[in-house]
Amino acid sequence: MNEQELRKRLEALKSEHRDLDTAIAALVETGREKGYTDQLQIARLKKRKLRIRDQIAAIEDTLLPDIIA
C-alpha cells in the first residue's frame, strides 16, 4: 500500500473504532434500562475494538517510523 492508501485505511479504522465505542455504550445503557446486559455481545465488540486499535497502531508505525537520534 502506498501512503495515501494507508492514510485512507487509517481514517476508516479510526471511524470504525469510534462507532464501536458508541455501540458498546448504547448496549450498556440499554442493558441498564432493561435490567440485564448482553455481556457476550459487549465482549465481542470490545475484542473487535482492540483488534482495530492494533491495526491503527501498526499503520501509524508505518507512516511515522521511529527516529533514532
Side-chain angles (χ1 to χ4, degrees):
M1 283 187 169
N2 64 31
E3 185 175 337
Q4 185 178 12
E5 291 169 335
L6 284 173
R7 291 191 186 282
K8 272 186 173 179
R9 179 73 179 140
L10 182 61
E11 287 307 312
L13 287 170
K14 285 182 176 182
S15 176
E16 187 175 353
H17 192 267
R18 284 189 301 270
D19 291 346
L20 284 170
D21 235 358
T22 303
I24 291 167
L27 275 175
V28 169
E29 186 61 33
T30 301
R32 284 189 195 139
E33 292 170 2
K34 292 182 178 180
Y36 68 91
T37 56
D38 186 352
Q39 293 298 324
L40 183 59
Q41 182 67 18
I42 291 171
R44 286 179 179 155
L45 291 175
K46 285 183 176 182
K47 198 171 199 178
R48 176 149 177 75
K49 189 176 160 194
L50 287 173
R51 282 194 304 268
I52 290 171
R53 186 190 69 192
D54 291 342
Q55 290 174 352
I56 289 170
I59 292 173
E60 286 176 339
D61 287 346
T62 301
L63 291 172
L64 301 170
D66 290 338
I67 298 174
I68 300 173

